[in-house]
Amino acid sequence: MSPLGYLLGIEGAALLRGLREGSADREFVEARVAEVRALLESPELAEGVEAGEGGIGVGEVYREWAGRYDSPGNQMVDVEQPVVRGILDGLRAGTALDAACGTGRHTAYLRESGHDVIGVDSSPEMLAHARARVPEGDFREGDLHGLPVADASVDTVVCALALTHVPELAPVLAEFARVLRPGGHLVISDAHQLAAYLRPTPVRGGAALLTEYHRPLSAYLAAALPLGFRVLRCEEPRRPRPALGPAPEVLAGHVSWGLLHRCPQAAAAVLDDSPVAVVWHFRLDGSDS
Ligand SMILES: C[S@@+](CC[C@H](N)C(=O)[O-])C[C@H]1O[C@@H](n2cnc3c(N)ncnc32)[C@H](O)[C@@H]1O
């Protein structure tokens, strides 16, 4: 993937959004054109960066990230967390599975909310952090495609910010349906398709980009509804538009391609008030849980 191509895409998206929403005045358009010229004359942007297809496994990525995953500045987490917690607050305490639990962010909240918690993740490094964070949790190394959890044994499944790593939703959602009791709740958060295009994720210290699977909202429904899930809620939380003053830091370099610092006005025009995540609340058919 070309850094220059990416930044030209951001400039183009800023112009298109500005034109569509009426905020692209003459000054804005001229600034974008001038920036495009400057970008084209930046030789250091011409060199390509490896896009992850094939070479970079999720295991390698989270081995690299485990120690800093919980650092502040992850906008995806900042935007997603209040929405997920709002849904979890409405659920009756029972047995909850945090599928792809990572460092145990939601596992800890579920535990504090009175649930018995099971956390499953394929990364031993991420699980080590989760175990330290929630010592009373039941953590198991395992894969979303074959959860080490008994049939119809949990009341709630949470799967946060992980489905972007799986190529097909249907087999993973089938696993969630298998382990849930009838009437159980499924809460999913994922990178929004739009954010996934606009914010490629760097790995190997920025030398490569992670392979991520982007999907339209209809794909979640196509996978979930045939399994007996019904939609209770769907939210697309947005990156806030700063009310006053300069835009905040575009994005922390460790969670998104730091190149956006080269064109902060265009990046803000594209990213501010645009959906960052999608959050679903499904309920499995069956008796009350
Ligand atoms: C972005 S982190 C999210 C962690 C946690 N759910 C949170 O929201 O803070 C994604 C996690 O998914 C895990 N993961 C990715 N693919 C997986 C798979 N096929 N099976 C199990 N875990 C997986 C990774 O190891 C990583 O811990």
Side-chain angles (χ1 to χ4, degrees), residues 49-274:
V49 164
E50 183 192 342
E53 200 64 68
I56 306 162
V58 169
E60 177 191 336
V61 168
Y62 285 98
R63 198 171 311 124
E64 186 188 312
W65 284 356
R68 58 196 157 98
Y69 183 79
D70 295 316
S71 316
N74 186 333
Q75 276 188 3
M76 185 72 78
V77 166
D78 294 346
V79 165
E80 174 257 18
Q81 187 162 286
V83 181
V84 171
R85 286 187 175 184
I87 295 170
L88 298 181
D89 289 345
L91 303 185
R92 197 185 305 159
T95 303
L97 166 66
D98 189 358
C101 63
T103 57
R105 184 169 63 95
H106 289 309
T107 331
Y109 190 74
L110 287 161
R111 181 72 198 127
E112 285 159 23
S113 308
H115 298 263
D116 292 326
V117 286
I118 303 167
V120 172
D121 200 281
S122 56
S123 162
E125 293 84 5
M126 295 290 273
L127 279 174
H129 287 271
R131 289 193 175 101
R133 186 183 209 158
V134 190
E136 64 282 20
D138 171 0
F139 291 101
R140 306 172 189 179
E141 194 175 319
D143 195 279
L144 289 169
H145 297 86
L147 293 165
V149 178
D151 294 356
S153 60
V154 307
D155 304 293
T156 298
V157 173
V158 176
C159 181
L161 304 179
L163 293 176
T164 190
H165 296 302
V166 304
E168 297 290 337
L169 287 180
V172 175
L173 266 60
E175 273 298 276
F176 298 158
R178 178 184 68 77
V179 302
L180 274 170
R181 296 191 177 113
H185 293 264
L186 170 62
V187 182
I188 287 175
S189 71
D190 206 1
H192 197 279
Q193 185 183 30
L194 190 58
Y197 282 126
L198 295 174
R199 303 166 41 155
T201 309
V203 289
R204 294 184 181 150
L209 296 175
L210 180 62
T211 304
E212 292 164 292
Y213 298 93
H214 314 147
R215 39 187 62 105
L217 300 187
S218 57
Y220 299 86
L221 296 177
L225 300 186
L227 292 165
F229 285 111
R230 299 290 162 251
V231 180
L232 299 186
R233 196 165 152 191
C234 176
E235 301 278 344
E236 295 170 276
R238 292 164 177 264
R239 173 186 148 104
R241 193 187 287 280
L244 284 173
E249 192 190 7
V250 173
L251 286 171
H254 67 281
V255 287
S256 194
W257 215 1
L259 293 169
L260 288 176
H261 294 282
R262 284 176 166 268
C263 53
Q265 193 186 16
V270 174
L271 295 172
D272 287 353
D273 197 35
S274 71

Side-chain angles (χ1 to χ4, degrees), residues 25-48:
D25 58 12
R26 176 181 289 271
E27 191 189 341
F28 181 85
V29 173
E30 285 176 359
R32 300 285 65 74
V33 173
E35 216 158 52
V36 166
R37 288 208 174 91
L39 291 170
L40 287 169
E41 284 163 14
S42 305
E44 72 278 13
L45 290 176
E47 192 133 328

